[in-house]
Amino acid sequence: MKDNFDAIISRNTLFWLLITNVAVLSPLYEQATLWSIGICAICFVWRIGIYLGKVAAPPKFLVTSLAIGAAITLALVSTEIGLLKALINLLILGYALKYIEMREQRDVKAIVLVGYFLIALTLLDQQGMLNTLHLLVVVIINTGILVSVYQDKSNKLANLSFSVKLVLHSLPLAILLFVVFPRLGPLWMVPNMKSATTGLSDEMSFGDINKLTRSAELAFRVGFDNPDGSTTGPANQDLYWRTLVMENYDGKTWRQDPSIKDLQRQAFFQKPQRDRPIASAQNKIEYVVISEPSHQKWLYGLDEAFSENSQIVELPDYTLYSLRPIDQRISYRVTSYPNNVMELTLKDNTKKLNLALPANSNPKTHALAKKFTQDYPEPQARINAMMNYFAEQAYYYTLSPPTVGEQQIDDFLFDNRAGFCAHYASALVFMARSSGLPARMVTGYQGGEYNPQAGYYSVYQYMAHAWTEVWLEGKGWQRFDPTAMIAPQRILDGFDATFDSQSSYLQDSPFSPLRMKQYPWLNELRQQLSSLDYYWSVWVLGFDEERKQQVLSKLLGDVTSSKIALMMILSFIVIALIIGYYAGLFNIDNTEDPLNKRYNLICQRLAKKGVPRPQGQTPSDYAKTVEAKLQQHPAIATKFMALSDEFMALKYQPLSAEQTQQHMKQFMRLYRLLRLRLLRS
């Protein structure tokens, strides 16, 4: 049977299908496997051949065989790439194979619908400002296919223009629903893809945090809500972003206690609770954290942190924990009480846990701790002496510490004497425990880069840090950071005050925007662009019920259901009127042909020059009259004669679509020239 594909689907629609195929699939390249990309490329090249008339559509048995083979392959590798990624690849392949075998307009409509579904799927994972703008362009291109089907014109720009208008007309309604529609939680759990995790781990060895100093990736951003309206937070030395607490040590690696892991696993069904302290406005800090995807569940906060977010729990070790993996950028509000005493009374099992040390481990350090115990019987004086020990001895803070042997802390304290934050924090915890003081390791981030353009702090992966907490009678858990004794500028002024960015977090990031820091005007531009993305995160991604109520209160005052309903009705009416106006529903009296309207406008301006057109005179005769009476303006007469010829051809000659386009283009050029010339002369 002869393939009649071109007779059913216009070449204009075929062109838009080529563009749309690339546009829809391009944002999903990270999820597509290599062989999925290969099949999509084969289908695209084949479709180009069909468009150019070089090849015919493939036989159905070939497309069916490819589909079955792809489905079997996906089923075999689904355990390796993850369930969600396998389903996405299945949808991508279905889209590509349907794209190559379509023959009728109903196939085109199916392609468009699947395209919209793939765009929505991409939006679930990519919600940044630039990603959203990219997907908006993809929506416009995908809509262009439908426009080309129902409004088939050879001018492709006309299809694109109409598609843009359709999308723009839908934006007011989308914004209205976004503002007033209730914020609903997810109706299902999306299967987790096997994505690489970023940031801190729930296990820490000596070199783990050191690896993060090579990363310039953004970890999270923080905006402070101060009572006086300012946006600055605490001083840099007070910005300790608590993330994980590790209490188990086997001589090499620090780990979370199994009891905390059990609470994390049970948190979805039974949320642990911490008593919120009663404090005045001066003794609490309120802020919004915008976390980047880490594919982990731990979150960030200053001591002692609480959150009203229903998806966040407050663990007994004073950390915040998300019920769902952070697979996309999220925003959550936090209230911290920096003066609150953490765990004033220590339980026996907790005390035992934080005094435990591996047998026969680091004997030199153990002996040193015993000496501190003899010299300083009082716990506060003892831990202070241990801190001063790091400042008094010849220790060095470095990003490239020497390797250590089996007795890690002994090698570090007595031989190498050079290390990173994890080395010093581990050594202090070990000494404190050896001397009878309960102690534990805390990991998180320290510091933050303030952006004065939008008033928020950016915390990057290279700011990862480890410090020590020691429990003291009557004071609870107290923070002690030996890094402040070795490299005080690291804590007071931030990471960049101590280390060269080019040899640390920028070493493996040649295209990082942070390289603009050394150029003031480029750094200001970087911060302005970052501010736009921050506002997007706060007002779009972080538009929760609280922010919705703030916006509605400014618009309506006292927010009630009747006021919201009235606002929606009025908004729908206004939107409908605007769309109706642009659709031409109100242009009842404007029935004049645009071609006649432009020609008559030129005639009216010629009449003001003393050459009126008598009623009933033909355009060609009037052109001769203009030529005779405007001899002092030969250029105007010549151009009007040419305009009249184009006008007569468009009105009375049988022209093809291509000829009509050429004559209209020439007519519009002459019309613009004459209109401008007649205004000047």
Side-chain angles (χ1 to χ4, degrees), residues 413-475:
L413 277 181
F414 299 99
D415 298 327
N416 298 336
R417 293 180 173 270
F420 196 57
C421 62
H423 296 73
Y424 290 101
S426 295
L428 183 59
V429 174
F430 194 96
M431 286 195 297
R433 288 187 177 186
S434 294
S435 72
L437 297 178
R440 60 191 185 184
M441 175 81 72
V442 183
T443 61
Y445 298 84
Q446 200 283 319
E449 180 194 35
Y450 183 64
N451 185 326
Q453 305 289 341
Y456 70 91
Y457 290 79
S458 296
V459 181
Y460 298 92
Q461 294 294 351
Y462 68 82
M463 296 177 182
H465 194 57
W467 59 94
T468 300
E469 280 187 346
V470 178
W471 189 86
L472 299 174
E473 188 75 34
K475 296 181 179 180

Side-chain angles (χ1 to χ4, degrees), residues 94-162:
Y95 179 79
L97 294 172
K98 182 65 179 176
Y99 170 74
I100 196 177
E101 65 94 26
M102 61 183 177
R103 288 171 169 80
E104 301 174 354
Q105 282 194 2
R106 65 172 176 266
D107 298 326
V108 175
K109 296 173 185 177
I111 287 290
V112 173
L113 291 176
V114 176
Y116 284 129
F117 188 83
L118 284 170
I119 293 169
L121 184 64
T122 306
L123 193 60
L124 291 176
D125 184 55
Q126 303 177 22
Q127 298 180 352
M129 183 179 64
L130 294 179
N131 291 327
T132 304
L133 291 175
H134 176 204
L135 291 175
L136 183 62
V137 173
V138 177
V139 168
I140 292 173
I141 296 174
N142 198 50
T143 307
I145 298 181
L146 289 178
V147 174
S148 69
V149 169
Y150 294 102
Q151 186 179 323
D152 190 17
K153 294 182 179 179
S154 57
N155 186 358
K156 298 176 178 61
L157 290 178
N159 298 141
L160 182 63
S161 176
F162 192 73

Side-chain angles (χ1 to χ4, degrees), residues 5-25:
F5 179 85
D6 287 337
I8 299 174
I9 303 177
S10 68
R11 287 184 59 79
N12 190 26
T13 300
L14 290 176
F15 169 81
W16 280 110
L17 283 166
L18 289 174
I19 302 298
T20 305
N21 184 258
V22 177
V24 169
L25 294 179

Side-chain angles (χ1 to χ4, degrees), residues 40-114:
C40 290
I42 293 172
C43 293
F44 181 72
V45 172
W46 199 315
R47 179 53 63 184
I48 291 177
I50 294 174
Y51 177 76
L52 297 176
K54 302 296 184 180
V55 297
K60 287 191 175 182
F61 80 89
L62 177 60
V63 178
T64 303
S65 300
L66 280 174
I68 294 174
I72 293 174
T73 306
L74 276 174
L76 293 175
V77 301
S78 60
T79 56
E80 296 296 325
I81 65 176
L83 177 60
L84 182 57
K85 194 170 183 179
L87 293 174
I88 292 174
N89 275 269
L90 184 62
L91 190 59
I92 289 173
L93 290 171
Y95 179 79
L97 294 172
K98 182 65 179 176
Y99 170 74
I100 196 177
E101 65 94 26
M102 61 183 177
R103 288 171 169 80
E104 301 174 354
Q105 282 194 2
R106 65 172 176 266
D107 298 326
V108 175
K109 296 173 185 177
I111 287 290
V112 173
L113 291 176
V114 176

Side-chain angles (χ1 to χ4, degrees), residues 536-577:
W536 172 265
S537 300
V538 170
W539 290 104
V540 179
L541 301 184
F543 193 77
D544 52 14
E545 279 296 319
E546 184 176 348
R547 289 201 177 273
K548 186 187 85 169
Q549 292 300 323
Q550 291 176 0
V551 172
L552 292 178
S553 296
K554 290 181 180 180
L555 294 175
L556 304 175
D558 184 23
V559 181
T560 62
S561 299
S562 58
K563 285 186 178 181
I564 294 177
L566 180 61
M567 185 186 76
M568 291 188 66
I569 292 172
L570 292 176
S571 300
F572 280 133
I573 293 173
V574 171
I575 293 171
L577 290 174

Side-chain angles (χ1 to χ4, degrees), residues 224-232 280-287:
F224 286 92
D225 298 328
N226 298 324
D228 60 358
S230 63
T231 57
T232 55
S280 63
Q282 290 75 23
N283 293 327
K284 68 179 182 180
I285 306 172
E286 295 183 335
Y287 49 97

